[in-house]
Amino acid sequence: MATNTLAPTGLVPARNKIGGAPTYQTNVYYIRKGYVANNIAVGDLVKTGTSTNQGYIVPSILNDTNGLGVFLGVLPYFDLTQQQNSHGLNGSFQLASNPSADIPCTVCSDPFVTFRAQVSGGTYAQSWRGQNINWTSGTNAAPNAAGISVLSLDYTTLGTSNTLPFRIEGVAGTPGGPHDPANVNPWVEVSFNPAWIEMLQGTGI
């Protein structure tokens, strides 16, 4: 069985299922000044924090029961170490930053946006469409050297559980070409599982 190179780029916005303008419905949120847990990559999954991070965004953790959306990059902030405006590493948030205040950032939190992502393992079958899937352990909030997400989807979690964050919409690769879905590690299009995404939940954080 041929294999697609496992080289995920996180969650890349693809389209809006209700035909919205191609802005991917991003919204501005904030990372707390003094946040020290993990770097946050462009294409990572994030959630609303709790405790000292209440109201701010933090990376999602595997098996969280809800999430906010996909991190698309920091907006300009003043870095006290560099003594100049900074935009992070290709938009990612780096713990080495020394912001003068909370850092504004953009997150795609629209529950109707779909994303392109790579599945680790398996070969695509039409029976995947409509099933839910989780991401691969250790791939969220672990940016590569360019600040881009390495999040991939875990084939072994494919199923119907409503606690899984993503719903598979279909295949993203081209048969016979690059990213051939008939090969191991296919590319798919996913949306948020409505039972998981924060925007559709009735209870607050």
Side-chain angles (χ1 to χ4, degrees), residues 77-169:
Y77 66 92
F78 189 78
D79 191 289
L80 294 170
T81 300
Q82 299 178 21
Q83 284 296 299
Q84 63 181 13
N85 285 340
S86 179
H87 301 80
L89 176 61
N90 289 328
S92 68
F93 171 77
Q94 303 290 312
L95 295 177
S97 63
N98 183 17
S100 61
D102 295 336
I103 297 179
C105 60
T106 57
V107 175
C108 180
S109 54
D110 188 323
F112 300 106
V113 170
T114 70
F115 303 89
R116 181 176 176 271
Q118 189 173 22
V119 178
S120 177
T123 57
Y124 184 78
Q126 187 61 28
S127 60
W128 287 21
R129 198 211 65 77
Q131 293 198 61
N132 295 335
I133 195 168
N134 210 341
W135 74 84
T136 307
S137 176
T139 63
N140 198 51
N144 64 20
I148 305 301
S149 175
V150 297
L151 182 147
S152 64
L153 305 177
D154 184 357
Y155 164 72
T156 65
T157 65
L158 189 68
T160 59
S161 171
N162 67 356
T163 62
L164 298 173
F166 303 111
R167 175 77 44 81
I168 294 181
E169 299 287 339

